Amino acid sequence: AGLLAKTHKHMEEGEASLEELRDTAHTLHEVARALRDEGRPEQAAAVEQLAAQLEAGAQKQMDAELKELEKRVHDELAHVSHEGHVLALSLKDYAELAAMVAQVVDKVNHLLREEHAAVGEMQEALECAKDAAQKLRMAGKLGATEGMEQMVHELEAGLATAAAADFVRLEQVALAKTELLGILCASAESLVQLLTSEGLSKYALSVMELEDLLEDPSATQEDLQHILSQLLQAGVALHAERK
């Protein structure tokens, strides 16, 4: 009762943190699993529905967070690109040094054209900028060196932001997998009961085997999609047998 009250509070107030939403949804999935084990599929389905609503709220928060992080990465890269362009122009009388700075700018501009700035490519741009700063210092261009070092600092900040965005994407995948798992468990349980009631025990046994796979913690997103396909096939078989 306390958990359900907490869940409804999260849903009504809409002020729960991302961590609270995920933790509560995870607990609800465990409750639903226990209810299915007790032979109470209807109650389990109701709890899974609550968990799905919380997960939808969590996904919405992560979408907003990811959008903000990606905007920060883009803004940081755009600023670095502008600074690099200005710096290259200031070195126009030193063709080799200007070309070196332009190479850094090209890498940054490539990242700006990508839908998501890849952490690995940002690391390459950062290393290129560090190398350019060192060569500018060796060439005695102290003012240009300071400008490039500022670009290095901004690329480091952008790299940290891009890594944070990647972490949010991983969390989204994990949450989507958990949500799909809950849907599949509820669907499998309902399908087993329906197939059994229709006297189609061989299909019911097949679905029960799939339920065992759902309990495997190492199951991947692809595994779950395969199980969903198998459940749909069982549903088609049921429809055909009823005709």
Side-chain angles (χ1 to χ4, degrees):
L3 177 61
L4 292 179
K6 181 180 179 181
T7 301
H8 286 296
K9 182 179 179 181
H10 285 333
M11 294 168 59
E12 291 172 1
E13 296 180 355
E15 297 178 354
S17 69
L18 180 58
E19 185 176 2
E20 288 174 330
L21 290 173
R22 283 189 310 224
D23 288 348
T24 305
H26 177 73
T27 303
L28 287 173
H29 283 303
E30 291 182 339
V31 171
R33 187 178 298 112
L35 288 170
R36 284 193 294 272
D37 291 342
E38 294 173 4
R40 300 162 65 185
E42 293 182 2
Q43 293 90 332
V47 173
E48 288 285 11
Q49 186 176 16
L50 286 175
Q53 291 175 12
L54 290 181
E55 286 165 341
Q59 285 284 13
K60 185 176 180 180
Q61 282 196 27
M62 284 191 286
D63 288 343
E65 182 180 356
L66 183 58
K67 185 177 181 180
E68 175 60 27
L69 288 170
E70 290 179 338
K71 182 180 183 303
R72 280 172 50 192
V73 171
H74 184 275
D75 291 347
E76 288 161 347
L77 289 173
H79 192 250
V80 170
S81 176
H82 174 72
E83 288 182 323
H85 179 69
V86 172
L87 182 56
L89 287 176
S90 73
L91 294 167
K92 63 180 184 296
D93 294 332
Y94 306 91
E96 186 177 346
L97 296 178
M100 180 181 64
V101 174
Q103 184 180 14
V104 176
V105 174
D106 286 344
K107 288 183 177 295
V108 172
N109 288 340
H110 171 73
L111 287 165
L112 282 169
R113 290 191 294 270
E114 296 292 312
E115 182 179 1
H116 306 303
V119 169
E121 292 182 356
M122 287 196 70
Q123 185 68 50
E124 290 180 12
L126 175 60
E127 294 304 319
C128 186
K130 287 180 177 179
D131 183 59
Q134 183 178 6
K135 290 180 179 178
L136 286 169
R137 185 175 297 279
M138 292 173 61
K141 303 299 180 182
L142 299 184
T145 300
E146 291 179 359
M148 183 57 70
E149 286 178 342
Q150 179 60 34
M151 290 169 60
V152 167
H153 293 322
E154 293 179 8
L155 282 171
E156 287 174 336
L159 179 60
T161 305
D166 275 356
F167 182 73
V168 173
R169 292 188 191 96
L170 288 174
E171 287 186 310
Q172 286 182 315
V173 171
L175 187 61
K177 177 182 174 181
T178 301
E179 185 175 2
L180 178 57
L181 182 59
I183 293 171
L184 290 176
C185 285
S187 299
E189 182 66 33
S190 298
L191 190 54
V192 166
Q193 290 192 344
L194 185 55
L195 290 167
T196 302
S197 67
E198 294 287 330
L200 303 173
S201 57
K202 65 176 182 178
Y203 294 117
L205 287 173
S206 297
V207 175
M208 289 171 69
E209 291 176 0
L210 293 176
E211 285 187 288
D212 292 336
L213 292 176
L214 289 173
E215 299 297 328
D216 184 357
S218 64
T220 65
Q221 190 85 357
E222 290 73 20
D223 292 332
L224 297 181
Q225 292 289 354
H226 172 70
I227 292 172
L228 177 58
S229 175
Q230 294 294 100
L231 290 177
L232 290 174
Q233 289 180 26
V236 170
L238 173 61
H239 180 70
E241 289 283 348
R242 282 179 158 180
K243 285 186 176 181

